[in-house]
Amino acid sequence: MTLESKFNIAYKNSICYSGYRKGQAPGALSPSYDEIKEDLLILKDNWGYLRLYDCTPHASTVLEVIEKESFDFKVMLGTYITAEVSNPNCPWGAIYSKEKLESNKIKNRKEIERAIELGNLYPEIIFSISVGNEATVDWSDHLVPVESVIEYAKMVKKGTKQPVTFCENYVPWMDKLEPLVRVLDFISIHTYPVWEYKSIDQAMDYTKENYYGVANRYPDTPVIITEAGWATNSNGRGIEPENVNQELQARYCRELVTWSKQNKILTFLFEAFDEEWKGSSEPLEPEKHWGLYSIERKPKLVINELF
């Protein structure tokens, strides 16, 4: 089942968008109206759908720019819900005080309320709303109980008219998130072959395995991909340096887009621009290098290959 058949949401080229530039970061300095406008002018000719991660001022400005400049984008609005329980299984540490967890629950509820507000403020632009991002997978540093995610999904469904989803790694959908599926309008999965030490020759078969594993598990619920991509640099932290470069990124994205179009599977490439603020301070930290464009907004090889 596709989104088009259930919600009349047609297939379009789709990309995840975060506009933070050098010296900017979430919770610190956000990109300006003009900077976001510049980004969207770069993206508008090739992409129809944007995915945003949260309901921060950054997201509000993106929506404002789209409306005021009459850009032809539709947006999946995200919510960033943070840890409501500690997670000793997180490799980089996720143990929080009781006070911090209680504070996070209040923040999460406000984030969901803000999503409802934005959904009603921009009903012609926001085509769907996600109630979280990678918050239930075993390694998450912002672990949220499934029961809480279900509550948030119900809140958004009650408060808005947009279809509701949740963005998560493919693994939890196979068992842990079954109760959540009953509440959602569609499922959004993430698949990263290169993070799981797959070669480029194994990558698409692995992506298909991830996708169809979930889709066959829930034949009556549409499944889309909200993150898939290939890094272009690595310092060896989690990804072998020889397994990432612009040529490999271009090949994976080209094969992914071809397969997605053929099967009308809405797929958001990760990510529009490199994100310097992510990960460690090391310049070759892989988290910083997933963009199809550099931090300076220069197209990588993949853009020439795709368009």
Side-chain angles (χ1 to χ4, degrees):
M1 180 180 292
T2 66
L3 279 185
E4 187 170 5
S5 63
K6 189 167 184 179
F7 297 107
N8 198 31
I9 298 173
Y11 181 94
K12 291 185 180 181
N13 289 336
S14 308
I15 196 163
C16 301
Y17 172 61
S18 174
Y20 296 98
R21 301 178 179 222
K22 287 187 176 181
Q24 300 175 347
L29 182 63
S30 294
S32 67
Y33 183 102
D34 287 339
E35 287 171 331
I36 289 174
K37 179 181 176 181
E38 181 184 5
D39 286 351
L40 299 190
L41 283 169
I42 292 171
L43 299 176
K44 72 179 183 66
D45 290 337
N46 297 321
W47 310 96
Y49 294 152
L50 303 178
R51 175 183 169 228
L52 305 180
Y53 300 97
D54 52 41
C55 296
T56 60
H58 173 278
S60 299
T61 305
V62 173
L63 294 165
E64 181 186 2
V65 171
I66 292 172
E67 182 178 64
K68 288 188 175 179
E69 304 298 331
S70 299
F71 288 148
D72 188 21
F73 290 111
K74 301 296 183 185
V75 169
M76 172 185 283
L77 180 66
T79 57
Y80 188 80
I81 53 174
T82 194
E84 295 188 3
V85 291
S86 292
N87 185 10
N89 295 318
C90 177
W92 51 92
I95 305 300
Y96 307 102
S97 68
K98 180 180 178 181
E99 292 75 19
K100 177 63 175 174
L101 295 174
E102 289 301 317
S103 174
N104 285 349
K105 291 178 183 179
I106 295 171
K107 288 181 181 177
N108 288 346
R109 200 167 189 90
K110 289 181 178 178
E111 178 82 347
I112 295 299
E113 291 170 352
R114 179 61 174 159
I116 293 170
E117 181 182 348
L118 290 173
N120 291 324
L121 190 60
Y122 296 100
E124 301 303 317
I125 296 174
I126 297 171
F127 77 92
S128 61
I129 298 174
S130 170
V131 293
N133 183 65
E134 294 182 347
T136 62
V137 68
D138 287 349
W139 42 257
S140 179
D141 61 3
H142 52 286
L143 192 64
V144 177
V146 176
E147 295 76 16
S148 292
V149 183
I150 290 172
E151 179 186 355
Y152 297 145
K154 288 180 177 178
M155 285 175 62
V156 176
K157 287 176 73 72
K158 182 178 180 181
T160 68
K161 295 182 179 179
Q162 288 92 340
V164 177
T165 189
F166 175 67
C167 300
E168 184 58 278
N169 176 273
Y170 67 93
V171 174
W173 292 109
M174 296 305 296
D175 45 37
K176 185 177 183 180
L177 295 181
E178 182 178 359
L180 175 63
V181 173
R182 303 188 197 111
V183 180
L184 299 177
D185 293 302
F186 63 96
I187 294 167
S188 297
I189 73 165
H190 298 173
T191 171
Y192 285 110
V194 71
W195 271 125
E196 299 193 53
Y197 302 100
K198 305 300 180 184
S199 70
I200 191 64
D201 293 327
Q202 300 169 313
M204 271 311 300
D205 283 343
Y206 194 68
T207 294
K208 293 175 186 177
E209 179 185 326
N210 295 167
Y211 176 82
Y212 288 115
V214 178
N216 293 338
R217 178 82 169 76
Y218 305 102
D220 297 325
T221 305
V223 179
I224 72 169
I225 297 173
T226 40
E227 286 187 27
W230 204 273
T232 54
N233 273 307
S234 176
N235 59 358
R237 184 177 179 270
I239 295 176
E240 302 113 325
E242 62 272 17
N243 205 24
V244 288
N245 57 46
Q246 289 199 31
E247 289 75 18
L248 296 176
Q249 182 192 53
R251 176 180 165 184
Y252 178 70
C253 290
R254 184 179 66 248
E255 293 178 359
L256 177 65
V257 168
T258 298
W259 169 74
S260 299
K261 284 183 177 178
Q262 289 173 346
N263 294 278
K264 293 187 176 181
I265 298 168
L266 190 61
T267 298
F268 287 82
L269 295 185
F270 182 87
E271 144 99 25
F273 302 101
D274 280 347
E275 298 180 281
E276 189 182 61
W277 65 272
K278 279 191 167 180
S280 71
S281 60
E282 294 187 32
L284 295 183
E285 168 77 41
E287 288 282 7
K288 302 178 186 293
H289 297 281
W290 291 85
L292 277 63
Y293 297 82
S294 70
I295 190 75
E296 293 84 12
R297 275 50 189 166
K298 302 298 183 184
K300 296 183 184 179
L301 177 63
V302 61
I303 294 300
N304 294 327
E305 294 252 345
L306 288 177
F307 306 112

